[in-house]
Amino acid sequence: TFGLVVAESFAAGTPVIVRRHSALLEIVARHGGGESFDDERQLGEAVDRLHQDDALRRRLASEARRAFAADFSEDVHLE
């Protein structure tokens, strides 16, 4: 199961929050660009961190854009 929603978010430079027990975690673990959670409490904490921490959000957004350019862009797939 490919994480299209993660690739689309990365294309927009938007950090993601993914469940740790999912295929989406593999993308975030490899590239950065997001956070992960196990339970409802951790999800809320991750949302709060991204909402409140501008530097974290900018860093993850930069990682997301780099990941998209490196592995998910049209140029990469056409090559």
Side-chain angles (χ1 to χ4, degrees):
T1 57
F2 177 74
L4 185 58
V5 68
V6 173
E8 289 174 337
S9 292
F10 282 5
T14 302
V16 297
I17 302 171
V18 300
R19 182 174 285 279
R20 282 195 188 110
H21 303 289
S22 73
L24 302 178
L25 178 61
E26 293 178 39
I27 298 170
V28 174
R30 178 175 178 192
H31 296 288
E35 294 206 351
S36 61
F37 68 95
D38 281 318
D39 56 37
E40 193 174 308
R41 178 188 55 79
Q42 290 176 348
L43 173 59
E45 290 170 352
V47 169
D48 288 344
R49 268 192 305 279
L50 286 178
H51 177 73
Q52 296 170 3
D53 189 336
D54 292 336
L56 173 63
R57 196 170 51 253
R58 282 192 302 273
R59 180 178 61 79
L60 294 177
S62 178
E63 291 172 359
R65 285 189 292 275
R66 270 196 308 275
F68 180 79
D71 282 350
F72 305 115
S73 69
E74 182 178 344
D75 291 339
V76 169
H77 286 281
L78 290 177
E79 188 176 302

